[in-house]
Amino acid sequence: MILNQLIDFDVLRVIWWVLLGVLLTGFALTDGFDMGVGALLPFVGRNDVERRVAINTIGPVWEGNQVWFILGGGAIFAAWPPLYSASFSGFYLAMFAVLAAFILRPVGFKYRSKRDSATWRNCWDWALFVGGAVPALIFGVAMGNVLQGVPFRFDDDLRIFYEGTFFGLLNPFALLAGVVSLMMLVTHGAAWLNLKTEGAVRDRARAIGSITSLITIVAYILAGVWLAKGIVGYQVTLPAVADGPSNPLYKDAVQAGSWLSAYAVRPWIAVAPVVGILGGLLTFLGLRAGREVSTLLFSKLSIIGVVSSVGLTMFPFILPSTIDPRSSLTVWDSSSSHQTLFVMLVAAVIFVPIILAYTSWVYKVLWGKVTEADVKANSESVY
């Protein structure tokens, strides 16, 4: 009763939907440039010193940045259990590939400089490339499949059955979404190197980032057109009670129309794709002009716009089902209990500001450029 008086169940559900978006966006903003630098590593560094310069820009911060990935996964597990179950069942092999790539990253950082061998270090540099490029691509592919719907269903006992295949996830639209994600994070990595390095590494990062920023914009617009013309959206015909029990089968839903019909109902959400495209253009101009801090901020703005446009377009759907639209998960019928969401919110209010404060302090302490002179003077360092 006290909990009901503090925050209503339907409000808590929306709050946690927003928080999930914030956590996933935070992961893209922070660990995104780590993955981007990893994907750029073989191309911005022509020799060992240059590659060590790039690695040292992210070496001290990448572990802290992954906190957002852990928080996002934890939030899905605790706040949206059916979403966690359905998505990990359907994307199991894809998630395994992401985790395998992420495992290569710390191993690459720690083992790369253990031997003074060009062959040894080159192999670990490509491992770091895989650790950056593969997750960036797969996250986008996953998002493309979420927009199309996933082949799962619930039976009357709320057991989840996934009826798709791994290769079914590699469809053209999902791969296009993967290109958007990969190019967006490579651009973010280039903006980071533009800020943190100088000389040849910075110049190459700017040149590559200028190209990938334009590819991101074009691919994002193409995906939007495809979404409007070639992807069937989802609609709730018998809405679930917003403050009722979490049972997806209490509603009715159908595949009909277009996802973009949401912009006619909620015109204000158009700000998200506009911000995504405008941020990308400003990132391109910033890289060409050699601006540093503002370029990284514009890159972050573009990521916020692109990621939030997906959630705002799909609301209230979180994970649609292609074989049984009624089983689709929405904000109103796939959350944990009222008490669980409230207790988690209290924990989030306490600990997220602490994480933000600590992260801000770390970046303040580590502010400044990594130069070739620094790397040569510390030849025995971990990175």
Side-chain angles (χ1 to χ4, degrees):
M1 181 63 69
I2 296 177
L3 294 179
N4 291 332
Q5 293 175 352
L6 290 173
I7 305 178
D8 292 336
F9 197 10
D10 57 336
V11 176
L12 272 174
R13 282 169 160 161
V14 173
I15 289 174
W16 270 102
W17 174 77
V18 173
L19 283 176
L20 178 60
V22 169
L23 293 174
L24 295 179
T25 303
F27 168 64
L29 294 177
T30 55
D31 210 36
F33 66 72
D34 294 345
M35 290 185 282
V37 171
L40 284 168
L41 184 60
F43 310 105
V44 297
R46 300 287 176 81
N47 55 53
D48 182 63
V49 172
E50 290 178 350
R51 291 184 179 183
R52 287 187 64 205
V53 167
I55 292 171
N56 273 272
T57 65
I58 60 174
V61 298
W62 71 270
E63 288 179 290
N65 291 340
Q66 286 206 153
V67 166
W68 297 100
F69 180 65
I70 297 169
L71 288 175
I76 294 174
F77 173 78
W80 310 97
L83 173 62
Y84 184 89
S85 178
S87 60
F88 274 74
S89 296
F91 302 153
Y92 181 81
L93 291 178
M95 294 292 184
F96 182 84
V98 168
L99 292 176
F102 274 163
I103 290 171
L104 284 177
R105 191 158 56 165
V107 176
F109 284 139
K110 300 301 181 183
Y111 279 84
R112 182 188 184 277
S113 295
K114 294 297 184 181
R115 293 179 60 187
D116 188 13
S117 164
T119 301
W120 171 270
R121 294 186 174 186
N122 188 60
C123 288
W124 287 116
D125 288 340
W126 281 104
L128 291 172
F129 166 80
V130 171
V134 169
L137 177 66
I138 291 179
F139 287 139
V141 170
M143 198 58 64
N145 279 283
V146 168
L147 283 164
Q148 295 175 96
V150 179
F152 72 95
R153 62 180 176 84
F154 288 95
D155 66 7
D156 292 336
D157 296 320
L158 293 184
R159 293 179 300 176
I160 296 178
F161 295 88
Y162 180 78
E163 300 183 6
T165 64
F166 170 75
F167 292 103
L169 300 175
L170 304 178
N171 55 79
F173 179 78
L175 292 174
L176 176 61
V179 170
V180 174
S181 176
L182 177 59
M183 293 295 100
M184 179 175 69
L185 296 186
V186 167
T187 302
H188 199 38
W192 175 255
L193 290 175
N194 177 58
L195 173 67
K196 295 288 290 182
T197 65
E198 57 185 29
V201 173
R202 180 197 59 191
D203 294 341
R204 294 186 195 114
R206 286 172 54 190
I208 297 172
S210 299
I211 297 172
T212 56
S213 61
L214 293 180
I215 296 175
T216 302
I217 295 169
V218 172
Y220 180 60
I221 293 174
L222 179 59
V225 173
W226 195 336
L227 199 63
K229 303 296 183 180
I231 305 296
V232 180
Y234 289 76
Q235 297 177 2
V236 176
T237 56
L238 179 61
V241 179
D243 59 354
S246 291
N247 187 332
L249 301 182
Y250 281 179
K251 70 171 182 309
D252 281 332
V254 296
Q255 279 188 280
S258 167
W259 280 123
L260 299 192
S261 60
Y263 291 87
V265 179
R266 304 185 298 274
W268 62 270
I269 68 175
V271 69
V274 170
V275 166
I277 294 171
L278 181 60
L281 287 172
L282 291 173
T283 303
F284 167 76
L285 295 175
L287 287 170
R288 298 297 295 176
R291 291 187 289 269
E292 297 180 351
V293 176
S294 61
T295 300
L296 183 64
L297 294 177
F298 288 141
S299 178
K300 291 180 182 292
L301 191 67
S302 178
I303 292 173
I304 292 171
V306 171
V307 174
S308 62
S309 67
V310 176
L312 292 172
T313 299
M314 293 181 61
F315 185 86
F317 287 91
I318 300 178
L319 186 65
S321 169
T322 56
I323 58 177
D324 181 19
R326 184 186 176 204
S327 295
S328 299
L329 303 178
T330 73
V331 173
W332 311 123
D333 56 27
S334 57
S335 73
S336 293
S337 68
H338 191 163
Q339 183 174 1
T340 299
L341 294 183
F342 181 80
V343 172
M344 288 175 57
L345 181 61
V346 172
V349 169
I350 295 173
F351 290 106
V352 170
I354 295 175
I355 294 172
L356 288 172
Y358 171 75
T359 301
S360 300
W361 177 79
V362 168
Y363 279 97
K364 181 181 179 181
V365 170
L366 296 174
W367 187 259
K369 292 183 179 291
V370 178
T371 66
E372 292 189 15
D374 295 329
V375 170
K376 291 177 180 178
N378 295 276
S379 59
E380 300 302 320
S381 67
V382 174
Y383 307 115

